[in-house]
Amino acid sequence: MKINLVNIKKAKKLLDKGDCVAVPTETVYGLAGNAYSDNASKKIFILKKRPKYNPLIVHYRYIRCLKKDCELNHDFFKLYKKLCPGPVTFVLNLKKDSRISRFVTNNKSSLAIRFPKHPVIRGLLKKIEYPLAAPSANLTTRLSAVSSADVKEDFGKKIKYILEGGKSSLGLESTIIDLRNKPTILRLGALEISSLKKILKKKVLIDLNSKKVQAPGQLKLHYSPGLPIRLNAKNIGDNEAGLFLKKTKKLRKNYFYLSKSGSLNQAAKNLYSTLRKIKKSKYKSIAVEKIPNFGLGKTINDRLIRASRYQ
Ligand code: TXA
Ligand code: MG
């Protein structure tokens, strides 16, 4: 992807003023603002209709900038060396004298951070003097955006500028690992857990429902296209959309597939855009065939289970 410096300048100008701008990343598009500014951070929550207790991820380009905001430990350096920039988010202890807005963290003593790989957001981060707080650029509980058109669909003119970056190459959010104590996965994502285990060479815990503690039940529904979803479907009704992992031979009008060959990586990349396509085709419900539960299939199943809570 070629970087357009004129576009980056436009985004910078708005961000410097405390406005929000949508930015591309290799995982999903983000709705970005200056993480050091209370006003910019508050705007993100309002635009996204996000409950204020749900903290934001902050995006960096340089480790020297991160050092000003977070306590870095041995596990962090090991993973950083091998995986960054890339689709992984680390939860670390916030430094007492960090300038991160308290609205970004909701006054927590920890901060979720990542080093995105997409050249356009990296080009932008190079030009600005602050890190970018950016949740996924979608309305709360809905599907994340993997293209500028998706962002437009959710926000229309409410966002002043969308920095173009083409389709997100991974199409699923980053994997979140809490590194403050024993390494613990908080969200499955575009990076497989096995890669983290291999590098850390120690046990990695998994706690995917820690949010329940903060807000019982409120975040159970997520990643929803706004349609009922039936999982592990064996038959597809004539009036519902059928979603398959692999292109089938008997492809009917209401059949959609995530990958021609059945590749889970390809399917991960196409998941959100295919669900959006189904929604636009006016089907009233979706029946998904069983998706294998290994590799990125685990993340796909995690997203589908949360989306299937829509009623
Ligand atoms: O791939 C991604 O991670 C994308 C791109 C834009 O970077 N961002 C993203 O952000 O998915 P968002 O806000 O949609 O999801 C961030 C998740 C939320 O579930 C939030 O609860 C969790 O990160 N989070 C943020 N700060 C945290 C913290 N200090 N401790 C634990 N979880 C945290
Ligand atoms: Mg999100």
Side-chain angles (χ1 to χ4, degrees), residues 71 73 75-76 79 88-94 108-113 175-187 196 200 202-208 210 214:
E71 308 283 356
N73 57 32
D75 285 344
F76 167 80
L79 294 173
V88 56
T89 292
F90 308 107
V91 175
L92 299 166
N93 280 314
L94 198 59
K108 277 158 88 79
S109 58
S110 62
L111 182 69
I113 67 97
T175 301
I176 303 182
I177 182 163
D178 187 343
L179 294 177
R180 288 173 299 163
N181 297 301
K182 285 186 185 146
T184 308
I185 304 289
L186 301 181
R187 177 175 75 183
L196 293 161
L200 287 173
K202 60 166 124 169
K203 201 169 171 193
V204 172
L205 306 174
I206 301 182
D207 178 10
L208 304 180
S210 59
Q214 293 172 355

Side-chain angles (χ1 to χ4, degrees), residues 27 50 54-55 57 59 110 112 114 135-136 174 176 187 211:
T27 57
R50 182 177 180 111
N54 193 7
I57 296 178
H59 299 67
S110 62
R114 87 176 191 92
S136 53
S174 60
I176 303 182
R187 177 175 75 183
K211 280 174 203 123

Side-chain angles (χ1 to χ4, degrees), residues 39-87:
N39 266 335
S41 310
K42 275 196 273 186
K43 268 186 207 163
I44 294 175
F45 283 88
I46 294 167
L47 274 169
K48 220 183 123 92
K49 301 201 173 98
R50 182 177 180 111
K52 64 172 188 292
Y53 58 76
N54 193 7
L56 307 177
I57 296 178
V58 176
H59 299 67
Y60 290 84
R61 172 164 177 152
Y62 302 107
I63 201 159
R64 63 179 151 77
C65 299
L66 174 64
K67 275 184 183 157
K68 293 183 194 158
D69 294 326
C70 287
E71 308 283 356
L72 307 183
N73 57 32
H74 192 57
D75 285 344
F76 167 80
F77 282 113
K78 268 188 174 163
L79 294 173
Y80 172 81
K81 253 196 217 153
K82 298 265 189 219
L83 300 173
C84 293

